[in-house]
Amino acid sequence: SWLGLSYAPQQNINYRDRIPVRAAGMAWAEIALSYANTFYQRGFDVWTTGISVKRAMAFGGFYLYTSDLDYVIPDDTTIIVNNLNADMGFAGPIDYQTNSFNTNPLFKGKGFGVDVGITYKRLLRYHSDEDYGPLCAYPYAEYKYRIGIALLDFGGVQFKSNAVKMKIDNRSSTWENVDDLPFTNLDQFLDTLSYKFYGDYTSARVADGYFQWLPLAFSAQFDYRLTKQWYLNASLIHGIPLAKSLIVRPPELAITPR
């Protein structure tokens, strides 16, 4: 791959990517308010639910989504794009003309997210209805197994400051001398991108802001009591690609003795 466009075996081949290609990232901070409650406990059964509402404040973000990319590389200095259908948005802590650091405002976008889940627990012993007074006085109830499911990070951030959204809607272009393009700032690159596909410097820019989804995911956990001292835990987290601008969370599967 270090040869770049000079790698001869990739030249003069018509590449067609019809499967969506996506990339996204965001840097943000959160402030959360959480609440949980045991809404049913009788016999050996205990049901608990909880919710967290989070205020998300993003320093910057980006996304790129292409649903159709058809191109040919005839030589080491040219790319011929037969068709491109793509959406892109970004907001960063830099000045797009001077390349200087931009922290005014510090947060380029703000939004909300929600986590919500429910847990079932099967107790080892029959639940006692005795009133122990304050919650901290209740004895610990050992369980045989515990199952929980949750929806994580449902929500997103609206970028309004220093943000750009671009769209290329089934357009073609020829890029010559791509190994020597004279970009000195991001604005010049965006102007060239629009000009190459639309013949002017503004048509590809569709908005001065965009909405970016948080890394939405489904989560499931199972905890099983092996002995008095040992439990076996299985956890699954799987991202849900709900939208083009969503940050896709990588799947996680773990089986852990504890």
Side-chain angles (χ1 to χ4, degrees):
S1 61
W2 62 275
L3 290 174
L5 299 183
S6 299
Y7 185 59
Q10 75 174 347
Q11 296 177 359
N12 295 303
I13 298 175
N14 191 178
Y15 294 97
R16 184 76 184 268
D17 293 328
R18 294 176 177 173
I19 299 175
V21 176
R22 65 196 310 157
M26 184 165 61
W28 76 98
E30 292 181 351
I31 299 175
L33 179 64
S34 300
Y35 174 78
N37 181 53
T38 298
F39 64 90
Y40 180 90
Q41 49 184 351
R42 182 174 299 175
F44 293 95
D45 304 321
V46 178
W47 289 87
T48 304
T49 188
I51 185 172
S52 292
V53 179
K54 302 176 291 185
R55 179 60 164 168
M57 300 162 289
F59 305 99
F62 80 95
Y63 82 94
L64 172 65
Y65 182 93
T66 68
S67 57
D68 188 10
L69 175 58
D70 184 336
Y71 66 99
V72 178
I73 302 173
D75 53 57
D76 60 358
T77 64
T78 307
I79 299 176
I80 300 173
V81 180
N82 297 317
N83 190 70
L84 175 61
N85 191 20
D87 294 78
M88 178 177 69
F90 60 90
I94 62 170
D95 188 293
Y96 300 149
Q97 293 183 343
T98 66
N99 300 322
S100 59
F101 200 50
N102 179 2
T103 58
N104 185 25
L106 178 61
F107 300 116
K108 304 299 187 271
K110 296 180 180 180
F112 290 93
V114 175
D115 300 339
V116 61
I118 188 169
T119 300
Y120 169 75
K121 188 161 54 177
R122 180 68 176 181
L123 301 179
L124 279 176
R125 299 176 181 84
Y126 196 85
H127 170 71
S128 173
D129 291 327
E130 181 179 349
D131 186 6
Y132 292 92
L135 291 176
C136 59
Y138 278 73
Y140 174 71
E142 294 185 342
Y143 58 89
K144 181 63 177 176
Y145 61 86
R146 182 174 59 184
I147 303 172
I149 58 173
L151 188 67
L152 307 177
D153 285 324
F154 180 77
V157 170
Q158 180 69 49
F159 284 100
K160 295 181 178 180
S161 178
N162 209 34
V164 177
K165 182 179 180 180
M166 303 190 71
K167 183 176 180 61
I168 298 172
D169 191 7
N170 294 311
R171 310 290 291 192
S172 61
S173 175
T174 299
W175 292 70
E176 299 174 335
N177 300 317
V178 293
D179 58 334
D180 191 30
L181 292 173
F183 299 136
T184 60
N185 58 51
L186 189 56
D187 259 351
Q188 289 180 359
F189 169 72
L190 299 179
D191 288 346
T192 302
L193 188 66
S194 180
Y195 186 82
K196 284 289 187 179
F197 284 100
Y198 286 95
D200 61 59
Y201 297 114
T202 59
S203 292
R205 299 196 187 202
V206 295
D208 293 326
Y210 73 96
F211 184 83
Q212 183 155 7
W213 287 84
L214 294 172
L216 179 66
F218 169 78
S219 174
Q221 300 86 34
F222 178 72
D223 214 27
Y224 187 80
R225 184 180 190 271
L226 299 175
T227 68
K228 186 175 181 180
Q229 289 82 23
W230 286 95
Y231 287 77
L232 183 65
N233 175 266
S235 299
L236 169 69
I237 301 177
H238 198 284
I240 304 173
L242 181 66
K244 295 178 180 179
S245 63
L246 182 137
I247 304 169
V248 179
R249 188 192 299 252
E252 301 176 31
L253 176 62
I255 300 177
T256 310
R258 64 181 185 86

